[in-house]
Amino acid sequence: MDRPFYHDGMREWQDATDGRRVADALEERRLHRAFWEEDRALIESAPFFFIATGHGEHMDCSIRAGDPGFVTILDDRTLEWPEYDGNSMFRTLGNIARNPNVGLLFLRFDGQSRRLRISGRASIHGVKSRVVRVECLEIYPNCPRYIPDLASGTPSPHVPREGHVPPAPEWKQRDYIRDILPADDPFRPK
C-alpha cells in the first residue's frame, strides 16, 4: 500500500483530542490486508452491505443487497458481487468508472457483531451481466458500540442518554488500549 492509513486531516483530529496513541495502536493491531476468518463469516453471510463511491464533487453512498452469499470472496483480499437491475441512474457504477476507490461497510444490526470496514479499488466486469470486483487494500473491524438490535427493538446501551451512563465498550478494555486512552476518557484507568 503506497499511502498511510491516516491522512493529515485525521492526524489533526487525533492530536487535538489526544487520540493519536489509540489510533496508532488500532492500526497496528486491527488493520489487516487479508481476510480474517471472522471477516469471511460476516461477508459470506451478509444479506446487504453499504458502499461509498465518489468522483470529484459527486459523492454517493448506496446499499447492495441479496440473498446471503451474494458477495463472493475470491481470494485473501478480493471479493465480488453481481450488480442487480437498478433504477438506471448508475451513480455507483458511474463513480467507479471514473474513480475506482470505494469504501464498503458490512454490519449486522444485532447490537453485538463487529462492523467491517473495507477500503479498496473496484472494477466492473461485463455490461449486461455486471459484476463488481474489489481488491481490498485496508480491512479493519470496528466494535458494534452504537449499533441497535433491530430485531428486538433494543437500542444500543452505549448511546448517551439523559439519566444513563453508557458502559465501557469492549475495545477500550483491551490490554493494549486501556492505558493509552486520551487523558480525559472516562474509561481510562486512574
Side-chain angles (χ1 to χ4, degrees), residues 67-126:
D67 290 334
F70 83 103
V71 179
T72 304
I73 296 175
L74 301 178
D75 60 36
D76 284 348
R77 57 183 298 156
T78 309
L79 54 78
E80 71 177 19
W81 64 90
E83 272 293 304
Y84 299 139
D85 180 50
N87 56 17
S88 295
M89 292 195 308
F90 293 103
R91 296 181 61 84
T92 301
L93 294 185
N95 281 344
I96 290 171
R98 297 294 184 263
N99 175 3
N101 297 310
V102 297
L104 309 180
L105 178 63
F106 288 85
L107 73 156
R108 292 186 182 122
F109 286 103
D110 63 4
Q112 59 187 351
S113 298
R114 286 193 169 89
R115 295 173 282 168
L116 184 63
R117 298 168 120 178
I118 298 173
S119 296
R121 290 200 178 98
S123 56
I124 304 164
H125 302 267

Side-chain angles (χ1 to χ4, degrees), residues 114 143 158 168-174:
R114 286 193 169 89
C143 80
H158 297 281
E170 174 273 329
W171 71 270
K172 286 191 176 189
Q173 299 170 45
R174 294 180 187 153

Side-chain angles (χ1 to χ4, degrees), residues 14-179:
Q14 291 165 11
D15 292 341
T17 60
D18 189 29
R20 186 182 281 246
R21 293 180 310 277
V22 172
D24 288 345
L26 290 171
E27 176 184 9
E28 179 183 326
R29 299 284 189 113
R30 304 301 287 170
L31 173 66
H32 48 284
R33 304 198 190 283
F35 295 120
W36 292 347
E37 283 306 312
E38 64 194 54
D39 303 337
R40 288 176 176 275
L42 179 60
I43 292 167
E44 291 172 341
S45 66
F48 68 89
F49 68 93
F50 298 98
I51 180 170
T53 61
H55 174 64
E57 296 293 315
H58 297 273
M59 302 306 298
D60 195 57
C61 184
S62 190
I63 190 171
R64 293 295 180 265
D67 290 334
F70 83 103
V71 179
T72 304
I73 296 175
L74 301 178
D75 60 36
D76 284 348
R77 57 183 298 156
T78 309
L79 54 78
E80 71 177 19
W81 64 90
E83 272 293 304
Y84 299 139
D85 180 50
N87 56 17
S88 295
M89 292 195 308
F90 293 103
R91 296 181 61 84
T92 301
L93 294 185
N95 281 344
I96 290 171
R98 297 294 184 263
N99 175 3
N101 297 310
V102 297
L104 309 180
L105 178 63
F106 288 85
L107 73 156
R108 292 186 182 122
F109 286 103
D110 63 4
Q112 59 187 351
S113 298
R114 286 193 169 89
R115 295 173 282 168
L116 184 63
R117 298 168 120 178
I118 298 173
S119 296
R121 290 200 178 98
S123 56
I124 304 164
H125 302 267
V127 177
K128 289 284 188 192
S129 288
R130 294 174 295 275
V131 172
V132 175
R133 186 170 299 146
V134 175
E135 175 192 7
C136 303
L137 305 173
E138 298 169 342
I139 305 167
Y140 44 103
N142 278 113
C143 80
R145 188 175 183 185
Y146 298 115
I147 299 174
D149 180 343
L150 293 183
S152 70
T154 306
S156 169
H158 297 281
V159 174
R161 296 180 184 88
E162 189 172 327
H164 169 71
V165 178
E170 174 273 329
W171 71 270
K172 286 191 176 189
Q173 299 170 45
R174 294 180 187 153
D175 292 344
Y176 67 94
I177 293 290
R178 72 173 162 251
D179 293 331

